[in-house]
Every structure is written in structure tokens, then in C-alpha cells.
């Protein structure tokens, strides 16, 4: 069996396992003489659309009734204003934020103007590793070894 026939068999066997959902009108049309299919307005999409339209019409009537009662503001507007910050609080927070931003800008200016110390090139940098930690020359008799206690691990 050649590669192409095996590939064709594999694709046909895969396509039989996949169930494709189609509308009745698309699945039934095999040619120009196909009989008409039965379609009505009982699908979920139509039901949801109808419920949405009826709900929006009912809400518009309730909304119209609420705003004609002589209230100054719509109930949604009052609800939003209840949970909003006051203008004074917003101004105070803005001023506090501006003060903090100015402080950060000053710190950035200070650190941006800083320069690194100059590098000093040493002729023999390995001498720093062999030098004494207390700046005493190696081999000088000024160090007494009488007080040294050797410790062995």
C-alpha cells in the first residue's frame, strides 16, 4: 500500500469519527431537486433574542416611568454617584501623587548626575593578593609569634 493511499484512508477514517453539526438547510441540499427542509422558530437563538427584545422593551417602560416621577436624577446615576469619590478626595489624592512624583524626579536627577569614580590601572595587581592585611611587610621581626595558638581541624 502506498503512502498516498494510507494517508487517504487515515483522513477518511478520521473524518468519520468527527461529528459535524450543520443546519438542516445546509445538510439536506445535495442538488437543485432537494426537498424543502422543516425549519421553524424554535431554536435557542431565536428564544434568547425574543426574550432579550421583550426584556429591553419592558425595561424602557420602567425607565420611562422612573424618570417621569419628577426625580432629578436617574436611579443608575444616583447609584454611581453614591459609590464615587468626592471631588475633594480626588483633588487631595492628585496633589499627594504630584508631590510624590516631584520627590521621585528629584531623586532621579541626583542619581542621574552621579559619576563613577575613576579607574586606576595598576602595574602589578597580583601584589594586592600577596600583601599583608595589616600593611606589615612580610618577614619583618615586628610580629611576635608567642601568642599564636595553632588550631588543627
Amino acid at each position: 500500500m502506498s503512502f498516498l493511499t494510507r494517508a487517504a484512508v487515515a483522513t477518511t477514517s478520521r473524518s468519520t469519527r468527527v461529528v459535524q453539526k450543520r443546519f438542516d438547510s445546509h445538510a439536506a441540499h445535495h442538488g437543485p431537486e432537494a426537498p424543502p427542509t422543516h425549519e421553524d422558530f424554535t431554536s435557542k437563538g431565536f428564544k434568547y433574542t425574543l426574550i432579550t427584545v421583550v426584556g429591553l422593551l419592558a425595561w424602557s417602560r420602567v425607565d420611562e416611568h422612573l424618570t417621569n416621577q419628577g426625580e432629578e436624577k436617574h436611579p443608575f446615576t444616583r447609584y454611581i454617584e453614591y459609590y464615587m469619590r468626592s471631588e475633594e478626595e480626588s483633588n487631595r489624592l492628585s496633589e499627594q501623587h504630584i508631590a510624590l512624583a516631584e520627590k521621585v524626579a528629584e531623586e532621579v536627577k541626583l542619581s542621574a548626575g552621579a559619576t563613577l569614580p575613576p579607574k586606576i590601572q595598576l602595574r602589578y595587581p597580583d601584589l594586592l593578593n600577596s600583601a599583608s592585611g595589616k600593611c606589615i611587610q612580610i618577614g619583618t621581626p615586628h610580629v611576635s609569634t608567642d601568642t599564636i595558638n595553632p588550631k588543627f581541624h
Side-chain angles (χ1 to χ4, degrees), residues 78-142:
R78 284 188 285 133
Y79 178 77
I80 291 170
E81 286 178 351
Y82 178 76
Y83 286 104
M84 275 178 44
R85 259 191 226 128
S86 67
E87 186 176 353
E88 294 83 20
E89 179 73 14
S90 296
N91 290 340
R92 186 187 64 78
L93 289 174
S94 296
E95 289 171 3
Q96 184 180 7
H97 181 71
I98 288 171
L100 289 174
E102 287 174 353
K103 193 182 293 184
V104 168
E106 288 296 323
E107 291 173 2
V108 166
K109 256 198 254 182
L110 179 67
S111 64
T115 59
L116 293 174
K119 289 185 179 180
I120 299 173
Q121 296 290 331
L122 298 177
R123 186 169 182 183
Y124 300 111
D126 290 339
L127 290 178
L128 294 174
N129 295 333
S130 62
S132 170
K134 298 189 182 213
C135 293
I136 300 174
Q137 281 186 342
I138 298 173
T140 58
H142 300 295

Side-chain angles (χ1 to χ4, degrees), residues 2-123:
S2 73
F3 172 73
L4 294 176
T5 55
R6 279 186 277 144
V9 168
T11 55
T12 57
S13 63
R14 247 187 267 133
S15 64
T16 57
R17 282 186 248 140
V18 176
V19 178
Q20 292 183 354
K21 189 173 183 178
R22 293 179 168 263
F23 296 109
D24 287 338
S25 60
H26 294 290
H29 287 284
H30 297 293
E33 67 278 345
T37 58
H38 176 67
E39 292 182 350
D40 54 2
F41 296 106
T42 59
S43 68
K44 288 183 181 179
F46 181 75
K47 288 178 186 176
Y48 292 150
T49 303
L50 187 63
I51 290 170
T52 303
V53 168
V54 169
L56 287 174
L57 287 173
W59 175 252
S60 68
R61 296 296 178 189
V62 168
D63 188 41
E64 186 179 321
H65 176 69
L66 287 174
T67 54
N68 284 339
Q69 286 184 345
E71 295 182 10
E72 295 176 8
K73 296 179 182 177
H74 193 273
F76 277 157
T77 307
R78 284 188 285 133
Y79 178 77
I80 291 170
E81 286 178 351
Y82 178 76
Y83 286 104
M84 275 178 44
R85 259 191 226 128
S86 67
E87 186 176 353
E88 294 83 20
E89 179 73 14
S90 296
N91 290 340
R92 186 187 64 78
L93 289 174
S94 296
E95 289 171 3
Q96 184 180 7
H97 181 71
I98 288 171
L100 289 174
E102 287 174 353
K103 193 182 293 184
V104 168
E106 288 296 323
E107 291 173 2
V108 166
K109 256 198 254 182
L110 179 67
S111 64
T115 59
L116 293 174
K119 289 185 179 180
I120 299 173
Q121 296 290 331
L122 298 177
R123 186 169 182 183

